Amino acid sequence: QVHLVESGGGLVQAGGSMRLSCAASGRTFSRNAMGWFRQAPGKEREFVAVINRRTGSTYYADSVKGRFTMSRDNAQNTVFLQMDSLKPEDTAVYFCAAGISIFSTKSSDYQYWGRGTQVTVSS
């Protein structure tokens, strides 16, 4: 089992920055991929970013590329999502997920999920 807890959400003005954290515990060594997804009201959950915990390689959705940066601290079993130049359309609940498939953008490829943290970007 892998337990994930997100933190760092809140309210920010458009153009601002925010950093999300996801702390993992349990059998984290069995899951090489850590991803961020988001879900806005009335919309489906969508892929945001993924990181290979071993190599640190990352992959981003086109909608956040150049604005969001994902990183990890393996010693702390934590991954981060630095979000810059935030837009109102980035408003959503952000979920952290752990999976086996490296660089998958499909939520079905992730076996463990956190409860999410709300990010609200005001215009």
Side-chain angles (χ1 to χ4, degrees):
Q1 292 289 329
V2 176
H3 185 57
L4 304 173
V5 179
E6 304 96 337
S7 61
L11 175 65
V12 65
Q13 287 189 330
S17 297
M18 185 175 289
R19 190 192 198 201
L20 304 182
S21 300
C22 173
S25 60
R27 297 173 62 86
T28 57
F29 59 85
S30 66
R31 297 294 181 266
N32 289 324
M34 296 291 293
W36 285 99
F37 287 76
R38 66 186 182 185
Q39 187 166 18
K43 295 187 177 181
E44 292 187 355
R45 190 169 299 187
E46 65 173 357
F47 167 78
V48 175
V50 61
I51 192 167
N52 181 323
R53 291 180 61 247
R54 291 184 178 180
T55 67
S57 297
T58 53
Y59 181 77
Y60 300 93
D62 288 342
S63 59
V64 306
K65 197 173 298 182
R67 300 188 298 121
F68 291 11
T69 303
M70 189 171 183
S71 60
R72 94 282 195 216
D73 181 341
N74 286 343
Q76 298 294 325
N77 279 331
T78 302
V79 296
F80 307 95
L81 186 67
Q82 176 66 40
M83 305 184 293
D84 299 317
S85 302
L86 282 161
K87 305 175 181 180
E89 51 263 44
D90 293 319
T91 295
V93 177
Y94 283 69
F95 298 90
C96 176
I100 296 175
S101 301
I102 303 299
F103 287 173
S104 175
T105 63
K106 298 187 297 182
S107 59
S108 59
D109 284 336
Y110 291 81
Q111 293 76 44
Y112 298 98
W113 292 83
R115 292 189 173 184
T117 184
Q118 176 70 46
V119 172
T120 302
V121 184
S122 63
S123 57

